[in-house]
């Protein structure tokens, strides 16, 4: 093992500690943004007039979202640059641009828009994209997993440290515990889609509440499609398409994992064969005992006959020798 200087070890530990603090800070900022957006969606909506209200609390929520978004964006740039340098990736990729775009969509001038020329409250409604930032939960779990901590000592065939990327951790979580992974992911996805549907549809369907939305998303997610609840807006219809496609993929993969879990492996097949042999032995133990007893009886009778014949022979020889001595 190559000797590493003490200063490089301490600097590496310091960088890893700062990296963990930044990721936790990003998660806290994104969570604050999602909570503020949720409060804004429900406090800033007037159910009587079916329109957005211009109140101070709504503007305060916008300021909190913007401030947390800018701070989270700065921390994300630092963390992603460090991860790309460690994985030897390009500094700017398509996925990184998409992530930056989803973060920056919630800062001015994207959080407001003049009412003339656009539908009233259009940009406020499209701030629902803040829910996309829930991916940070997955990122925190990846960084806190044993795979991430052991990536520097897990080497491949070329001697390079293993790259614990997001796609690899996704596949690892999906294969190691599929039911738990798909269950938790489905619950979070259903809640976010139901909240988005409620925000999109409440101006056209005032009687719709969260229970109807969660019921509708579960029906669409499981590909049942009863048709008793429908979406009127095109945003809600886009959510319906996303839920249907995601549900089809999730259920297909989950069923595949269920069949794989039910199917027995080589070790389990060997255990099954041993169980069948043991059960057969237990079933025929009485028959085997009867055979052994019969064999033992025959053997004992044969031994008794041989012993009696031997005694008769010895007696005959002794009488002959006695007569010879007398003569």
């Amino acid at each position: 093992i190559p000797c590493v200087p003490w200063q490089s070890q301490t600097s590496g530990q310091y960088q890893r500690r700062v990296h963990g603090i930044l990721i936790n800070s990003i998660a806290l900022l994104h969570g604050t943004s999602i909570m503020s957006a949720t409060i804004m969606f429900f406090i800033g909506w007037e159910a009587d007039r079916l329109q957005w209200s211009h109140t101070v609390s709504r503007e305060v929520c916008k300021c909190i979202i913007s401030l947390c978004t800018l701070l989270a964006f700065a921390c994300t740039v630092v963390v992603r640059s460090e991860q790309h340098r460690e994985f030897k990736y390009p500094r700017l990729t398509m996925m990184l641009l998409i992530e930056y775009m989803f973060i920056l969509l919630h800062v001015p001038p994207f959080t407001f828009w003049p009412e003339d020329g656009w539908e009233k409250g259009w940009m406020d409604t499209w701030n629902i994209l803040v829910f996309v930032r829930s991916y940070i939960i997955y990122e925190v779990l990846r960084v806190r997993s044993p795979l991430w901590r052991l990536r520097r000592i897990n080497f491949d065939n070329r001697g390079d440290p293993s790259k614990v990327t997001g796609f690899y951790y996704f596949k690892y979580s999906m294969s190691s515990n599929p039911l738990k992974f798909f269950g938790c992911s489905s619950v979070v996805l259903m809640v976010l889609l139901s909240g988005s549907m409620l925000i999109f549809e409440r101006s056209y369907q005032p009687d719709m509440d969260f229970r109807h939305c969660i019921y509708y998303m579960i029906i669409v997610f499981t590909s049942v499609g009863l048709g008793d609840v429908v979406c009127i807006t095109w945003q809600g219809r886009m959510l319906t398409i996303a839920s249907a496609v995601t549900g089809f993929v999730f259920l297909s993969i989950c069923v595949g994992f269920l069949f794989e879990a039910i199917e027995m492996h080589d070790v389990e097949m060997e255990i099954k064969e041993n169980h069948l042999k043991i059960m057969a032995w237990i079933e025929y133990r009485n028959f085997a005992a009867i055979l052994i007893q019969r064999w033992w009886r025959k053997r004992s009778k044969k031994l008794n006959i041989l012993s009696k014949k031997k005694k008769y022979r010895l007696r005959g020889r002794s009488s002959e020798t006695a007569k010879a001595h007398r003569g």
Side-chain angles (χ1 to χ4, degrees), residues 286-304:
N286 294 330
F287 180 71
I290 292 172
L291 291 178
I292 293 172
Q293 289 175 2
R294 289 181 179 178
W295 176 83
W296 179 253
R297 288 171 184 173
K298 290 180 179 180
R299 180 69 177 172
S300 60
K301 288 180 179 179
K302 191 175 181 180
L303 290 176
N304 291 331

Side-chain angles (χ1 to χ4, degrees), residues 257-269:
F257 277 113
L258 283 175
F259 278 108
E260 186 178 355
I262 294 172
E263 184 181 0
M264 290 189 176
H265 301 285
D266 296 336
V267 179
E268 294 174 341
M269 289 298 295

Side-chain angles (χ1 to χ4, degrees), residues 89-107:
Y89 287 163
R91 290 186 177 181
L92 201 61
T93 59
M94 184 60 66
M95 294 299 296
L96 198 59
L97 286 175
I98 293 174
E99 182 181 2
Y100 290 164
M101 181 189 70
F102 275 118
I103 295 176
L104 290 176
L105 276 176
H106 300 91
V107 294

Side-chain angles (χ1 to χ4, degrees), residues 36-37 39-40 55-68:
S36 300
I39 294 173
M40 182 189 71
T55 58
V56 178
S57 58
R58 182 184 171 203
E59 300 301 324
V60 169
C61 291
K62 284 186 178 182
C63 293
I64 294 175
I65 294 171
S66 301
L67 180 61
C68 293

Side-chain angles (χ1 to χ4, degrees), residues 155-184:
F155 299 95
D156 55 11
N157 296 328
R158 295 177 297 179
D160 298 329
S162 61
K163 297 178 181 179
V164 185
T165 59
F167 290 106
Y168 174 77
Y169 182 72
F170 180 83
K171 294 178 182 179
Y172 174 81
S173 303
M174 189 169 54
S175 60
S176 61
N177 198 344
L179 295 179
K180 181 179 178 181
F181 175 79
F182 284 109
C184 297

Side-chain angles (χ1 to χ4, degrees), residues 115-242:
E115 294 183 3
D116 50 346
W118 289 93
E119 184 182 355
K120 189 174 183 179
W122 186 85
M123 290 305 297
D124 285 331
T125 304
W126 268 100
N127 272 309
I128 203 70
L129 291 175
V130 73
F131 289 154
V132 179
R133 298 197 214 173
S134 58
Y135 77 93
I136 195 63
I137 301 173
Y138 172 77
E139 184 72 14
V140 171
L141 292 177
R142 178 170 74 97
V143 174
R144 291 182 175 273
S145 65
L147 293 176
W148 183 263
R149 294 195 296 268
L150 299 177
R151 71 191 187 281
R152 298 182 183 275
I153 60 176
N154 186 8
F155 299 95
D156 55 11
N157 296 328
R158 295 177 297 179
D160 298 329
S162 61
K163 297 178 181 179
V164 185
T165 59
F167 290 106
Y168 174 77
Y169 182 72
F170 180 83
K171 294 178 182 179
Y172 174 81
S173 303
M174 189 169 54
S175 60
S176 61
N177 198 344
L179 295 179
K180 181 179 178 181
F181 175 79
F182 284 109
C184 297
S185 302
S186 301
V187 169
V188 174
L189 188 62
M190 287 297 98
V191 171
L192 296 181
L193 289 176
S194 301
S196 303
M197 178 184 171
L198 178 61
I199 293 169
F200 287 150
E201 296 291 328
R202 62 187 176 183
S203 58
Y204 295 92
Q205 302 185 58
D207 296 334
M208 182 175 289
D209 55 3
F210 187 77
R211 294 176 297 175
H212 292 90
C213 294
I214 194 72
Y215 164 76
Y216 174 75
M217 283 299 168
I218 292 175
I219 293 299
V220 174
F221 192 81
T222 54
S223 302
V224 178
L226 297 178
D228 52 346
V229 181
V230 294
C231 290
I232 299 177
T233 61
W234 66 273
Q235 296 100 327
R237 292 173 181 175
M238 293 296 293
L239 284 178
T240 302
I241 295 173

